[in-house]
Amino acid sequence: MKSILILLFILPIMTFAQDNVTWDYPIKPGAETWKLLKNNAEKVQACQVPTEKLTAMSTQELIHLCLNYPLLLDIFAFNYIKDGFGKFESDFNGYRELIKRDNAAEELLKLYKNMDPTSIPKDGSILEKGDYVFKFSFIELFISYPMVVEKCSTNEKMEIVNELLLKKEKKKSRPDWYENTGIRTNYLAIVNILQSDTEKFQSGLNIAQVTPYIYWGILPTPEIIDQIDQEANQYVKNN
């Protein structure tokens, strides 16, 4: 998985399929015009969506636009996912528009439910397979973002956690693809959502102990992982 991540950083990003596109990035990695951009700031600027287009887009299209953001993999270029994701939010006006939408979580969950971690394209290139795998991590980060989660009811949060648990078990059947980043973002999303529902969920987790491991890129000890699983399943059961 580590070698796949390195390859995806080095080679041009493939794009996730999307329907009903009303706007697309005018410059993309691999194009000669992209190579002429001098630094990250110029690349970020080239990826901004015109304001009038943003407000006219459906939430579904915004999600696909975010998944196709040319600099999306930069999230994992930082020591901490939190820092990488913070830069992504700060840099990209498309995601800032998405998190304003009241139905962001609903549409993200709808897409997430229709995906199967084990359906990695058999005949695809390593880039196509890597894109498919990382799509799960990106959606997990999107759907557990505080501004998205705060718009969700307890029942909606429960539904998201339940789906995260289902996806996690399927990911574990393909450790060759999901053993690090794929599992890490799954647990990070679960913990973030559980912690957001303080009225319904009294966590016994030591968050100060759990989150640094997940942000750093190393999963907590098996004992803590078991505790997260138990509390997540209890949360779903109680709601």
Side-chain angles (χ1 to χ4, degrees):
M1 185 64 186
K2 184 177 180 181
S3 60
I4 294 166
L5 180 56
I6 292 172
L7 268 175
L8 287 171
F9 275 119
I10 294 175
L11 298 175
I13 284 183
M14 303 290 289
T15 56
F16 298 118
Q18 56 183 18
D19 301 318
N20 303 318
V21 175
T22 61
W23 185 88
D24 199 7
Y25 299 97
I27 306 177
K28 298 179 181 180
E32 290 301 318
T33 46
W34 182 268
K35 297 176 185 177
L36 294 174
L37 299 175
K38 298 176 183 178
N39 50 45
N40 180 262
E42 288 190 1
K43 292 175 181 178
V44 167
Q45 186 56 42
C47 295
Q48 299 309 296
V49 187
T51 303
E52 66 276 10
K53 295 290 186 181
L54 275 181
T55 55
M57 284 181 186
S58 68
T59 302
Q60 186 179 51
E61 185 176 355
L62 274 172
I63 291 170
H64 286 292
L65 200 66
C66 290
L67 290 172
N68 284 316
Y69 179 61
L71 300 170
L72 191 57
L73 276 171
D74 286 0
I75 290 173
F76 299 118
F78 290 73
N79 286 334
Y80 292 90
I81 291 179
K82 184 177 181 180
D83 293 339
F85 200 79
K87 184 178 187 300
F88 165 64
E89 182 208 351
S90 175
D91 284 350
F92 186 44
N93 63 349
Y95 188 69
R96 295 198 299 274
E97 174 65 25
L98 175 62
I99 60 179
K100 294 178 185 176
R101 302 291 179 92
D102 289 339
N103 65 338
E106 176 185 352
E107 292 297 331
L108 283 164
L109 182 59
K110 189 185 302 182
L111 176 61
Y112 192 60
K113 278 185 170 182
N114 288 328
M115 295 165 58
D116 182 355
T118 64
S119 297
I120 299 168
K122 294 181 180 179
D123 299 324
S125 68
I126 191 169
L127 288 179
E128 290 169 332
K129 292 178 180 179
D131 279 340
Y132 187 82
V133 167
F134 276 105
K135 187 175 182 180
F136 288 90
S137 288
F138 293 134
I139 293 176
E140 287 161 2
L141 292 173
F142 291 173
I143 204 168
S144 61
Y145 188 73
M147 285 186 65
V148 174
V149 174
E150 70 183 13
K151 297 183 177 73
C152 297
S153 66
T154 291
N155 285 339
E156 289 169 331
K157 292 177 184 179
M158 176 273 293
E159 190 175 4
I160 295 170
V161 171
N162 186 61
E163 195 62 33
L164 286 164
L165 290 170
L166 293 173
K167 291 292 190 287
K168 174 174 61 65
E169 291 308 309
K170 287 195 171 185
K171 285 182 179 184
K172 285 183 175 180
S173 71
R174 294 299 307 269
D176 50 329
W177 287 96
Y178 298 103
E179 64 180 349
N180 188 358
T181 302
I183 296 296
R184 183 172 30 136
T185 55
N186 186 285
Y187 274 108
L188 179 57
I190 289 173
V191 170
N192 283 344
I193 294 172
L194 293 183
Q195 289 301 300
S196 74
D197 202 356
T198 54
E199 289 187 6
K200 297 288 184 180
F201 178 71
Q202 298 298 319
S203 175
L205 293 174
N206 184 336
I207 298 305
Q209 183 181 20
V210 172
T211 52
Y213 281 101
I214 299 175
Y215 287 161
W216 183 254
I218 303 172
L219 287 170
T221 63
E223 291 77 16
I224 295 177
I225 288 294
D226 287 344
Q227 189 178 2
I228 295 173
D229 286 337
Q230 290 173 18
E231 300 214 26
N233 281 289
Q234 189 63 34
Y235 175 75
V236 171
K237 182 179 178 181
N238 288 345
N239 290 289

